[in-house]
Amino acid sequence: MTATAHLLASGPGWRASDIVCTAGPDDRAFEEAHPQHCIAIVRSGSFRYRSTQGSAVLAPGSLLLGNRGACFECGHEHAAGDRCLAFQFEPGWLEGIVAAVPGARQIGFAQAHLPALAPLASVVAEAEIAADDPEGLEETALRLASAVASILSGAKPGAATPSARDQRRITRALRHIEAHCEDVLSIDELARQAAMSPYHFLRTFRAVVGMTPHQYVLRTRLHRAALLLRRTTQPVAGIAFDCGFGDLSTFNRRFKRVMGASPSEYRGA
């Protein structure tokens, strides 16, 4: 095997994997088929991608696009190895994204790739960062799929002001986060609380709150932890777990980055 895939995160209708390929010029390319619709960000290395939608040499920052059931080959005629962050989407999940993008008409991709375009720079960088923090990959999957659909449709996304109805819906999600911030809160679950589609929820939440749901959940957890550090003598590890952090090192790193001091330093200040 020249390629290994490590599952980073998944949810209803989507999954994200870190794929490392060690193939080189001496390795023959084998025909494969995409099990689901795929958008893969090339993180390092380069390779030639051939599919029913076309052929292209992919380099870091470019996107591989694949349709469910479509055959493809990846070749390394010129250099060895590559690494990709691959998102796979079930048709129903992707259909909900496409339906919310002005001008988009189909869930399939008409071309094999997208180059490293400026409009994609932000979401590609966020995806690279989120690969080290899988809890944020659901938001990244939504943003990436909508960005690709928008570019392929030629649409220019607008910045419409959320309606009063949408503001009320987002408020319900905010209250749910406030009451359950220590739990694992997926975009799908929060969207159901707001009675919205996941993509519409994510876009509206950012417009109303000024940050993504993941950023807001993290902010809420850190705020609660800061209060507990000053108001109680509870051990730092206990506070971290009670506030929804899966391990102490992650909590310490995030707390210091946001608060400017380690949890112990903050408590003793």
Side-chain angles (χ1 to χ4, degrees):
M1 294 291 291
T2 58
T4 57
H6 172 60
L7 180 65
L8 298 174
S10 63
W14 69 277
R15 59 190 286 137
S17 301
D18 182 33
I19 300 179
V20 177
C21 180
T22 59
D26 295 331
D27 294 299
R28 183 166 63 91
F30 291 91
E31 186 176 273
E32 304 174 70
H34 289 291
Q36 300 288 356
H37 295 292
C38 177
I39 302 174
I41 299 170
V42 182
R43 305 179 71 182
S44 64
S46 60
F47 58 97
R48 178 170 290 281
Y49 173 61
R50 300 180 179 90
S51 76
T52 52
Q53 290 92 257
S55 175
V57 173
L58 303 186
S62 59
L63 302 185
L64 176 155
L65 306 178
N67 291 323
R68 184 182 187 183
C71 295
F72 71 95
E73 286 185 354
C74 292
H76 295 75
E77 298 95 333
H78 308 297
D82 67 84
R83 185 177 187 181
C84 294
L85 177 58
F87 293 86
Q88 293 179 333
F89 309 109
E90 293 180 6
W93 191 94
L94 197 57
E95 186 176 7
I97 301 299
V98 171
V101 175
R105 293 290 181 268
Q106 59 185 21
I107 64 172
F109 303 118
Q111 57 197 69
H113 86 298
L114 284 173
L117 301 173
L120 292 170
S122 175
V123 68
V124 167
E126 281 191 22
E128 290 258 21
I129 295 169
D132 301 323
D133 177 22
E135 191 176 335
L137 279 172
E138 184 179 19
E139 290 180 2
T140 302
L142 285 163
R143 285 198 62 207
L144 181 64
S146 62
V148 169
S150 179
I151 287 174
L152 293 180
S153 70
K156 295 182 178 180
T161 301
S163 66
R165 182 188 183 196
D166 281 348
Q167 290 175 7
R168 286 195 299 270
R169 288 175 166 180
I170 294 302
T171 298
R172 291 204 297 268
L174 290 171
R175 294 297 181 92
H176 186 77
I177 292 172
E178 183 181 4
H180 304 281
C181 73
E182 71 281 0
D183 297 336
V184 176
L185 298 172
S186 68
I187 294 294
D188 193 59
E189 177 186 351
L190 292 174
R192 285 198 303 270
Q193 291 290 329
M196 291 176 163
S197 70
Y199 172 64
H200 184 50
F201 169 75
L202 177 59
R203 183 175 58 180
T204 307
F205 191 100
R206 293 187 68 171
V208 172
V209 182
M211 63 182 74
T212 70
H214 175 63
Q215 291 169 335
Y216 185 79
V217 169
L218 178 60
R219 176 259 172 210
T220 303
R221 289 174 177 173
L222 289 173
H223 177 72
R224 186 165 298 181
L227 295 181
L228 289 172
L229 285 167
R230 290 287 179 85
R231 292 175 175 174
T232 74
T233 58
Q234 185 179 352
V236 172
I239 290 175
F241 297 132
D242 287 349
C243 290
F245 293 93
D247 62 83
L248 185 58
S249 62
T250 298
F251 170 67
N252 287 336
R253 183 176 66 253
R254 289 177 171 171
F255 191 94
K256 186 169 185 177
R257 184 169 65 233
V258 173
M259 300 296 186
S262 70
S264 297
E265 292 169 342
Y266 183 84
R267 167 172 272 171

